[in-house]
Amino acid sequence: MMAGPVPAIAKVEPLTTARALRGPFDYLRPDGVEVGALLRVPFAGREVDGVVVGLAAHSELPTERLAAPLRVLDRSLPADLIDLAGWMAREYCSTFARAVGLMLPPAGTRERTALWAQAAPGARGESTPQGAPPRLTDSQRALLASLPRFAGDDLAALRRLEKRGLVAIAPRARRRVVIHSAVGAAAHRAPELTPAQAGVLGEVEAAVAAGGHEALLLHGVTGSGKTEVYLRAAGAALQRGCGAIVLVPEIALTPQIVTRFVARFGDTVAVLHSRLSDGERHDEWLRLRRGEARVCVGPRSAVFAPLADLGLIVVDEEHEASYKHEGDPRYDARGVAARRAAQAGAVLVAGSATPRPESVHALRRLRLPERVDGRPLPPVEVVDMRDSTAALHPRSLHALADEPKAIVLLNRRGWSNFLECRSCGRGWRCPDCDVALVLHRAAGTMACHHCGHRERVPETCPDCGSVSLARHGTGTERLGSELRALGLEVFRLDADAGAAGPVLAAFAAAPHGVLLGTQVVAKGHDFPDVGLGVVVDADATLRFPDFRAEERTFSLVTQLAGRAGRGRSGRVLVQTLEPDSPAIAAAARHDADAFLTGELARREALRYPPFSDLIRVVCSAPERTGGAAAAAGAVREALGEPPGARVLGPAPLFRLRRRERSQLVVKATDRAGTIAAVGAAVARADADRAHRAVAFSVDVDPQ
Ligand code: ADP
Ligand code: ZN
Ligand code: ZN
């Protein structure tokens, strides 16, 4: 076979934010430059970074008009990610440069040393070097048991033990990532699989062994041992010489899964998450790029991990909304994972106790119907709140008094959700958004939960001077104070209460107490001694004007129930104003199948996903100039009636950050065609000077 001519042309996409740019542009190809290389190139009289998206033997331009790149940068992307970026730009109505921007490694930094802590000789036994048995608190004992490892936030505590001759601390070169290990590695020896796990794993392994693409849904009840299946599946991929990506919703809330992967696979695991410094991220990224690490665990952005020969992508807790990215491109990591797995010929495993109707509809489903320990799921009691005025029903209060450890979910932060003047009826609203301000008592502020506006809590009504102001509604701050007044120890977990990790650790270690918080308390935590779960206001999610309201409610109740009764028997109380709602009734019976069947039928009747695709266009304009509705109207007109699609709106949205807003929602049956049509219509409206004050955003698969 004769080799073709060596491609002399590099097709380069400039990494600029300009939307109107239509690349790629041809440059002379420097020696050795391949697809994915980053170059510094002359461009329109400037210098910009660009990425090579293709090679060609010939250009349509004469060679003498082609520019040479100024230099080849020391960073590059694998070619398959270049392909993925092109797809993302189309799929999410964005630009190639913005998509690639999500994948680029951070610029390099130097290596770093850190402090390595290990038990001092003799300290692990029951005596100090001086001979007497050391007096240790439980947390000090746990600290010692976790050694040897690098010191982290606990350096001060380790130093105290060092002073007593129990710990030795010295600098040591390291990769910069601290894995916060909540549990000692010894606890993570691989358990023997249950027959159900073995059956499911057999299916996943067979798919991995087949070496082609397949997408599977692992529907396993809470505590059914899904993580063990992911671990074994990753092991199977590694054995075949393949890499694996494991996506988790939020590292800070579920550190256990990271710990378990690191304990099982050691340095083969790279962890990528948002709390890493640039240097740490750089190290992990390079370890993956060089093939030193073959498993990547991280939140949604880890779907872009530069792993070669990908064999497996796991999406844990696939129902979680945090897989959706709210910046441009507004990608959904579940959609990107499916695309990447298909492109790489890898197996996709999406797992959840409450899978999305979309996934149930589209993927082959594997089931783990029982908990690993054979314990039943806790009984769920629906508490009718229609005759109740207090936040907690007497039955809930009794249960809390009886149960040493409980989790209470109230999906509302702050003290009370609105303030009202008893004399004149004045309400307190955000000056910049059309929403009520929430009272935060400890902080002494009224806060807008949409834009962050804050003002001081008023003592009198500015309109009528009355000092009689009513505080309506109960948030986590107020409920926490009420529970404390009953003598309960409260561990509050919400966005106002500080970092989640320490609160969760303190609750885990406490012999009794209540973990109280917003929906973060229902995430995949594994506390074996929690015997009670209470959902204070199960209707909060149900009242949302959103077609996913039912799904969210079912998921929240089921996930909270999943936290109770793990190592002991348990029960769950669900307070609601709508005891007959199908989502709440099905969750109370642990009947996911009934819920999913009903929900899919409802969505089919209403033509909601998965029976259509939704594309949302939001136009916003400063309230001074206005014009959001007109712009949305212009998009609608430019769009016409695309084949198979229905266009709803323009409809006004509430004012946000001093911007008025208007939206269109398109229900599409021809996904790709309609996405392209919407993109073109928005581009036309955007190019019209009449709408120059307007910002347009397109959201495919909005949450
Ligand atoms: P899920 O992710 O399905 O909610 P986990 O993977 O967290 O469940 O498993 C629940 C608990 O059961 C964990 O503590 C885990 O270590 C344990 N576990 C998992 N598989 C087994 C097994 N085969 N034998 C014993 N314990 C297991
Ligand atoms: Zn008043
Ligand atoms: Zn606001």
Side-chain angles (χ1 to χ4, degrees), residues 101-120:
L102 297 167
M103 304 172 178
L104 289 176
T109 45
R110 277 198 221 96
E111 273 195 325
R112 199 177 77 176
T113 58
L115 294 171
W116 179 254
Q118 56 190 10

Side-chain angles (χ1 to χ4, degrees), residues 421 423-426 461 463-466:
C421 171
S423 310
C424 76
R426 181 192 207 273
C461 172
D463 289 352
C464 74
S466 165

Side-chain angles (χ1 to χ4, degrees), residues 55-199:
L55 302 175
H58 304 286
S59 174
E60 283 168 12
L61 293 172
T63 313
E64 59 276 14
R65 287 195 42 203
L66 292 181
L70 302 164
R71 51 179 194 283
V72 181
L73 304 180
D74 63 356
R75 302 184 293 166
S76 70
L77 285 172
D80 63 320
L81 286 182
I82 298 297
D83 210 52
L84 192 66
W87 174 83
M88 281 178 66
R90 290 188 299 278
E91 182 77 1
Y92 299 107
C93 276
S94 185
T95 66
F96 179 85
R98 285 179 206 248
V100 157
L102 297 167
M103 304 172 178
L104 289 176
T109 45
R110 277 198 221 96
E111 273 195 325
R112 199 177 77 176
T113 58
L115 294 171
W116 179 254
Q118 56 190 10
R124 287 261 199 181
E126 283 314 309
S127 64
T128 59
Q130 288 78 38
R135 291 164 62 110
L136 296 172
T137 63
D138 283 352
S139 63
Q140 286 174 325
R141 219 168 276 124
L143 213 52
L144 281 175
S146 70
L147 303 180
R149 58 175 172 78
F150 285 106
D153 298 344
D154 49 9
L155 180 60
L158 287 166
R159 286 283 188 209
R160 283 193 286 277
L161 292 172
E162 184 188 33
K163 283 213 183 81
R164 294 169 60 187
L166 296 166
V167 167
I169 300 177
R172 187 163 161 175
R174 51 167 288 188
R175 51 188 262 245
R176 274 165 278 199
V177 175
V178 187
I179 308 293
H180 288 284
S181 150
V183 207
H188 295 292
R189 243 173 279 120
E192 201 164 313
L193 295 182
T194 63
Q197 282 174 315

Side-chain angles (χ1 to χ4, degrees), residues 335-406:
V336 179
R339 167 73 187 194
R340 194 167 179 200
Q343 181 192 332
V347 173
L348 176 77
V349 178
S352 176
T354 52
R356 293 177 299 160
E358 288 94 323
S359 306
V360 170
H361 188 70
L363 308 183
R364 179 152 80 88
R365 184 154 47 145
L366 309 172
R367 314 284 296 249
L368 290 173
E370 279 164 21
R371 285 184 163 179
V372 164
D373 53 12
R375 271 179 202 287
L377 290 164
V380 177
E381 197 183 320
V382 177
V383 180
D384 188 342
M385 293 297 280
R386 281 175 294 193
D387 301 324
S388 200
T389 49
L392 285 173
H393 193 277
R395 292 230 294 284
S396 304
L397 289 171
H398 281 136
L400 283 166
D402 286 349
E403 195 56 54
K405 281 187 92 165

Side-chain angles (χ1 to χ4, degrees), residues 187-188 191-194 197 220-230 232 260 316-317 368 372-373 524 526 563 566:
H188 295 292
E192 201 164 313
L193 295 182
T194 63
Q197 282 174 315
V221 300
T222 51
S224 58
K226 294 184 287 294
T227 309
E228 189 56 38
V229 174
Y230 307 148
R232 303 280 186 126
R260 284 169 74 180
D316 186 27
E317 310 286 7
L368 290 173
V372 164
D373 53 12
D526 190 12
R563 303 312 121 215
R566 288 198 154 213

Side-chain angles (χ1 to χ4, degrees), residues 154-499:
D154 49 9
L155 180 60
L158 287 166
R159 286 283 188 209
R160 283 193 286 277
L161 292 172
E162 184 188 33
K163 283 213 183 81
R164 294 169 60 187
L166 296 166
V167 167
I169 300 177
R172 187 163 161 175
R174 51 167 288 188
R175 51 188 262 245
R176 274 165 278 199
V177 175
V178 187
I179 308 293
H180 288 284
S181 150
V183 207
H188 295 292
R189 243 173 279 120
E192 201 164 313
L193 295 182
T194 63
Q197 282 174 315
V200 161
L201 180 67
E203 301 264 359
V204 178
E205 279 179 346
V208 171
H213 170 58
E214 181 160 13
L216 301 168
L217 173 62
L218 178 53
H219 181 182
V221 300
T222 51
S224 58
K226 294 184 287 294
T227 309
E228 189 56 38
V229 174
Y230 307 148
L231 285 159
R232 303 280 186 126
L238 288 175
Q239 271 210 322
R240 308 193 68 81
C242 293
I245 294 176
V246 181
L247 300 182
V248 298
E250 255 169 293
I251 297 256
L253 293 176
T254 45
Q256 292 106 326
I257 185 163
V258 180
T259 315
R260 284 169 74 180
F261 268 87
V262 173
R264 190 72 56 88
F265 300 114
D267 267 354
T268 307
V269 179
V271 182
L272 290 177
H273 65 85
S274 57
R275 300 257 174 89
L276 298 183
S277 69
D278 276 355
E280 291 169 331
R281 195 191 304 274
H282 177 255
D283 289 4
E284 293 300 84
W285 197 90
L286 269 187
R287 290 192 330 111
L288 290 160
R289 182 81 168 104
R290 294 188 190 126
E292 292 161 22
R294 299 291 289 142
V295 177
C296 179
V297 184
R300 60 173 182 256
S301 58
V303 76
F304 307 122
L307 269 165
D309 303 316
L310 201 55
L312 176 74
I313 304 183
V314 171
V315 184
D316 186 27
E317 310 286 7
E318 71 98 30
H319 61 279
E320 284 280 346
S322 68
Y323 284 121
K324 176 82 182 182
H325 182 64
E326 292 304 343
D328 184 2
R330 298 178 166 269
Y331 72 90
D332 187 321
R334 296 163 291 201
V336 179
R339 167 73 187 194
R340 194 167 179 200
Q343 181 192 332
V347 173
L348 176 77
V349 178
S352 176
T354 52
R356 293 177 299 160
E358 288 94 323
S359 306
V360 170
H361 188 70
L363 308 183
R364 179 152 80 88
R365 184 154 47 145
L366 309 172
R367 314 284 296 249
L368 290 173
E370 279 164 21
R371 285 184 163 179
V372 164
D373 53 12
R375 271 179 202 287
L377 290 164
V380 177
E381 197 183 320
V382 177
V383 180
D384 188 342
M385 293 297 280
R386 281 175 294 193
D387 301 324
S388 200
T389 49
L392 285 173
H393 193 277
R395 292 230 294 284
S396 304
L397 289 171
H398 281 136
L400 283 166
D402 286 349
E403 195 56 54
K405 281 187 92 165
I407 300 183
V408 175
L409 189 161
L410 172 57
N411 214 354
R412 217 164 29 221
R413 291 187 287 127
W415 185 270
S416 65
N417 45 328
F418 68 103
L419 196 64
E420 190 186 40
C421 171
R422 283 210 173 89
S423 310
C424 76
R426 181 192 207 273
W428 271 257
R429 304 179 72 77
C430 176
D432 299 342
C433 315
D434 289 331
V435 296
L437 293 175
V438 175
L439 172 70
H440 290 257
R441 207 169 88 156
T445 57
M446 305 283 292
C448 171
H449 285 183
H450 290 268
C451 74
H453 166 87
R454 269 155 207 282
E455 53 190 69
R456 290 189 55 79
V457 179
E459 277 160 22
T460 57
C461 172
D463 289 352
C464 74
S466 165
V467 291
S468 179
L469 305 179
R471 300 165 166 191
H472 295 292
T474 299
T476 47
E477 187 186 16
R478 184 179 203 163
L479 190 61
S481 146
E482 288 176 16
L483 293 172
R484 274 192 199 100
L486 296 172
L488 298 169
E489 187 167 355
V490 175
F491 300 84
R492 212 173 99 211
L493 187 63
D494 61 41
D496 307 313

